[in-house]
């Protein structure tokens, strides 16, 4: 008994220090992680810079510094905003059509007959490489503007359909029944339950769809377009200007990544914050 | 759907066939013929027929407006007779379809082997050490988000025509999936089994061989499947730009020859080939590797994961690390990010 | 003869406000071929004690010594869930924990599988067996290493009542035959009374509240009046020391 009584006072002072130790350890862990992440950046960028000109010919593998300098030159030539704008317009229009088509199919798939009808269409849409659509539309439409648009629609609609269908399938029937039992009207039911429930599904579809849409757009531009990022890439590669080529693709890649990672994710987090709070 | 699994509280069961609509009680019994006509099978059969009709109709309409479009628009008969010629070995291309796919397959195999080897090492490191994870994480995400077009074009320019460019493209397209899956496998390590091994004093070597490696197998398998499906797409793009032979190059051959029926026919062959490979080889392998899983047919699980877009690819690839958060918030809040990345790369 | 000595054992988890004391100054001596049950409400530290004894966890402070004739004792473990390798057959699961893979060892494993009436299931995968069968394999695995001390952590708590009862009878027989030292954790007082000849009662906060001898002869049956009386007595002790969960 004596030991039991004696132990709390002796363990009290070390407890706080222990707490501090743990906090310090956590802080150290965080700093460590950041340091290692920076080390990763340094390593890979350094490797890239080192490889260019030493492991591989400088003209074949321009280093990051070269790419930045080329970007400066391209920017100064004034071609960049125009090319970005062309590509973004194309993505915007194509993706908007894909969204409407995809959402419509997703809704129609609730019907059994149409579900069977569209199931294979969706599978084909998900599994067929964008390259194939790009080539087919390019050969049929040449460089008419709707060739790339059709390619974008065909590669992205399925993702939207799948997400919409998933969302509808997972509608919270219990909540809807609850609302019905309280005599809540159709309009309010839709606004308060159905739409908030579907919104995240649709948004996820948009996010994935976008990440695919931009890649396909650039790909189609490579084959059949006289403007846009893909066209600039094709020109640069035909002239064997690797720095320019790399700069175009990297610039748009960084732009798209920022858009989908930062912008879309911030929007998602802001609007759908309730989902995380519910989870925890 | 990996896309949505994060916040879904429902299990994987509801991702099964979407026919559940059938079972709604409100449906009244109707005439059997009507029922057959309304069934999902009827829709499935109708789909190719409608497609063919739309195709023929489109040709009819377009050629009535622009008569000169006849050359550009291929008819279904042209396409199918082209495919038949290819399959029987008669071709105008320098190599027949079997040699062509053989060449591509060899490149894919080499690329996948390299990707699996390197990816496993990095994935193990990232799963075991937070520092290694912090070191590589953003770069894995970056490589994953890179369009394979960029790799393909770059490799064709940098390595010239031949085997190297396509193989490097396959490695670069496939490696993020291997890394992410292996990391996830390490993170989902069965700790209760490790404790068991420790309590019985089993040696380290035996624990690795009988506990660690088998528990990683499903993740490795998922990795191989993804690396195959996406590496294949990447390979074809690479061959289009930097090959002298192979499936991609042959599609480009027909494209350059302005034979639309050739492009479409070859594209169909290509898709069929990938699907067959996927269904037969991978299903066989998964049946063999996961024969210890009698309760759920492992083939089905992996199958669903891969095939049906509506199923979480994320169990294996979850938390692929959405760059900024994976290291700080741990796996749970980011679940689905992996699905994101995976899904995201299902492009051309 | 196995000897277990525990001195001033203390174990806590977490730091600061989250700190939980799992075991508080536990002292114990167990020796010889006894069947010791550790009972108590959930969260009283009984599983922690078992984990420390078996070496899965380490104590915060205090000493634990487990010897067999002066040398470190060999240990076996039966877990709450069977913890079988799902990707290995039943026989390979038994072989996994053996020191060698000789013919003799195989024969021994087969003998213990026979003992739990699964002699013909050696080539099955655990996923093909029922929960009760899996737990039997777990028991056979623990016995098959011929340990000096056997630890069991609520091995029957996941099973239905009928399966659990037949497994308890089997366990009694095996213990009679092999005469190991068994440390058995359970929250089921009836089970403890039926199986053990010594019961350690743990109270909330992780201290050893009582140590009861159970001298009744084996085999016991819960239906026997003597066993029922003993069980009632143990429950009374529980109430006296306030060890029952106030849930």
């Amino acid at each position: 008994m004596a030991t039991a009584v004696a132990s709390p006072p002796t363990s009290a002072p070390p407890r706080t220090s222990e707490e501090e130790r743990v906090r310090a350890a956590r802080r150290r862990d965080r700093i460590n992680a950041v340091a290692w992440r920076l080390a990763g950046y340094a390593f890979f960028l350094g490797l890239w810079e080192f490889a260019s000109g030493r492991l591989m010919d400088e003209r074949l593998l321009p280093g990051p510094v070269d790419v930045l300098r080329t970007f400066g030159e391209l920017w100064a030539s004034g071609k960049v905003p125009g090319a970005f704008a062309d590509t973004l317009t194309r993505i915007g229009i194509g993706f908007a059509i894909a969204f409407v088509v995809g959402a419509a199919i997703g809704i129609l798939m609730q019907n059994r007959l149409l579900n069977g009808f569209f199931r294979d269409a969706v599978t084909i849409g998900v599994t067929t490489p964008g390259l194939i659509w790009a080539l087919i539309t390019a050969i049929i439409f040449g460089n008419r503007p709707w060739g790339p648009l059709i390619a974008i629609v065909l590669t992205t609609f399925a993702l939207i359909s799948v997400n919409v269908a998933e969302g509808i399938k997972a509608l919270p029937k219990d909540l809807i029944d609850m609302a019905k039992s309280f005599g809540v009207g159709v309009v309010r039911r839709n606004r308060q339950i159905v739409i908030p429930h579907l919104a995240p599904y649709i948004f996820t579809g948009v996010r994935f769809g976008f990440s695919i849409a931009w890649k396909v757009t650039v790909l189609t531009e490579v084959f059949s377009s006289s403007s846009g990022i893909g066209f600039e890439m094709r020109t640069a590669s035909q002239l064997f200007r690797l720095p320019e080529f790399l700069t175009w693709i990297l610039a748009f890649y960084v732009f798209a990544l920022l858009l989908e990672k930062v912008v879309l994710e911030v929007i998602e987090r802001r609007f759908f914050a309730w989902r995380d709070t519910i989870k925890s | 759907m990996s896309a949505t699994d994060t916040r879904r509280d429902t299990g994987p069961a509801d991702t099964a066939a979407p026919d559940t609509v059938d079972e709604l009680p409100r449906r009244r019994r109707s005439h059997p013929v009507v029922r057959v006509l309304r069934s999902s099978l009827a829709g499935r059969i109708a789909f190719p027929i409608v497609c063919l009709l739309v195709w023929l109709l489109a040709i009819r309409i377009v050629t009535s407006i622009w008569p000169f479009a006849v050359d550009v628009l291929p008819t279904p008969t042209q396409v199918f007779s082209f495919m038949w010629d290819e399959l029987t070995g008669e071709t105008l291309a320098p190599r027949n379809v079997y040699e062509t796919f053989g060449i591509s397959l060899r490149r894919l195999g080499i690329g996948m082997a390299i990707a699996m080897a390197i990816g496993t090492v990095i994935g193990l490191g990232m799963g075991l050490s937070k520092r290694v994870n912090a070191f590589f994480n953003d770069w894995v995400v970056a490589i994953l988000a890179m369009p394979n077009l960029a790799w393909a074009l770059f490799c064709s320019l940098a390595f010239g025509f031949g085997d190297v460019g396509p193989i490097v493209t396959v490695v670069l397209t496939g490696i993020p999936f291997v890394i992410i899956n292996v990391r996830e496998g390490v993170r989902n390590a069965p700790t209760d089994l490790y404790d068991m091994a420790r309590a019985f004093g089993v040696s380290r070597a035996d624990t690795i061989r009988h506990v660690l490696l088998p528990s990683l197998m499903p993740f490795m398998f998922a990795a191989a499947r993804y690396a195959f499906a996406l590496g294949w797409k990447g390979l074809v793009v690479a061959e289009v730009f930097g090959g002298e032979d192979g499936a991609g190059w042959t599609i480009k051959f027909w494209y350059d020859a302005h034979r639309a029926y050739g492009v479409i026919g070859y594209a169909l062959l290509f898709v069929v080939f990938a699907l067959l490979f996927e269904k037969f080889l991978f299903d066989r392998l998964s049946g063999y590797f996961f024969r210890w899983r009698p309760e759920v047919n492992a083939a089905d699980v992996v199958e669903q994961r891969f095939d049906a877009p509506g199923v979480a690819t994320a169990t294996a690839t979850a938390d692929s690390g959405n760059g900024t958060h994976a290291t700080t918030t741990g796996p749970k809040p980011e679940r689905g990010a992996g699905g994101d990345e995976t899904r995201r790369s299902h492009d051309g | 003869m196995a000897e277990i000595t525990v001195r001033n054992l203390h174990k806590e988890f977490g730091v600061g406000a989250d700190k939980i004391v799992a075991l508080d100054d536990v002292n114990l001596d167990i020796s010889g071929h006894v069947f010791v049950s550790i009972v108590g409400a959930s969260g009283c530290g009984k599983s922690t004690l078992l984990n420390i004894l078996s070496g899965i966890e380490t104590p915060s402070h205090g000493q634990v010594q487990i010897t067999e004739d002066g040398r470190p004792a060999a240990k076996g473990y039966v877990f709450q869930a069977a913890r079988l390798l799902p990707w290995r057959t039943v026989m390979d699961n038994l072989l996994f924990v053996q020191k060698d893979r000789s013919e003799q060892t195989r024969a021994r494993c087969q003998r213990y599988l026979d003992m739990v009436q699964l002699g013909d299931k050696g080539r099955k995968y655990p996923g093909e067996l029922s929960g009760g069968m899996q737990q039997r394999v777990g028991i056979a695995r623990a016995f098959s290493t011929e340990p000096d001390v056997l630890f069991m952590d609520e091995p029957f708590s996941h099973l239905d009542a009928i399966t659990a009862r037949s497994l308890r009878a089997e366990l009694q027989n095996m213990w009679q035959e092999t005469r190991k030292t068994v440390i058995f954790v359970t929250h089921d007082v009836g089970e403890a009374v039926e199986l053990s000849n010594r019961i350690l009662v743990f109270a909330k906060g992780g201290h050893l509240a009582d140590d009861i001898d159970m001298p009744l002869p084996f085999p016991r049956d819960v239906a026997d009046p003597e066993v029922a009386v003993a069980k009632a007595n143990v429950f009374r002790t529980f109430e006296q020391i306030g060890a029952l969960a106030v849930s």
Side-chain angles (χ1 to χ4, degrees), chain C residues 4-7 9 49 52-53 59 62-66:
Chain C
I4 300 176
T5 325
V6 176
R7 290 286 170 267
L9 181 61
L49 175 62
I52 291 175
L53 289 177
Q63 281 109 44
V64 174
Q65 228 176 12
I66 304 177

Side-chain angles (χ1 to χ4, degrees), chain B residues 52-73:
Chain B
L52 265 179
L53 288 178
V54 169
W55 188 349
L56 290 169
L57 201 71
I59 292 176
R60 178 65 55 82
I61 292 170
V62 172
T63 47
S64 69
I65 304 173
W66 300 294
F68 52 84
V70 176
D71 297 339
V72 184
L73 286 178

Side-chain angles (χ1 to χ4, degrees), chain A residues 130-185:
Chain A
L131 171 81
I132 283 178
W133 296 129
L135 283 175
I136 291 177
T137 53
I139 203 166
I140 290 178
F141 296 101
N143 52 8
R144 287 188 197 83
W146 47 70
L149 293 185
I150 289 176
I152 299 168
V153 172
L154 286 171
T155 23
T156 45
F157 84 94
L159 265 180
I160 310 272
S161 301
V162 165
N163 271 292
V164 170
E166 277 296 304
I168 294 176
K169 226 182 327 163
L171 269 179
K173 294 206 175 56
D174 47 348
L175 284 184
I176 293 172
D177 287 346
M178 179 274 289
K180 274 185 197 158
S181 74
F182 278 104
V184 178

Side-chain angles (χ1 to χ4, degrees), chain B residues 191-208:
Chain B
T191 42
D192 55 338
L193 294 181
Y194 289 127
D195 281 349
M196 183 272 289
R198 187 138 41 99
F200 281 102
V202 176
S203 72
R204 182 174 270 264
D206 272 359
T207 308
I208 289 173

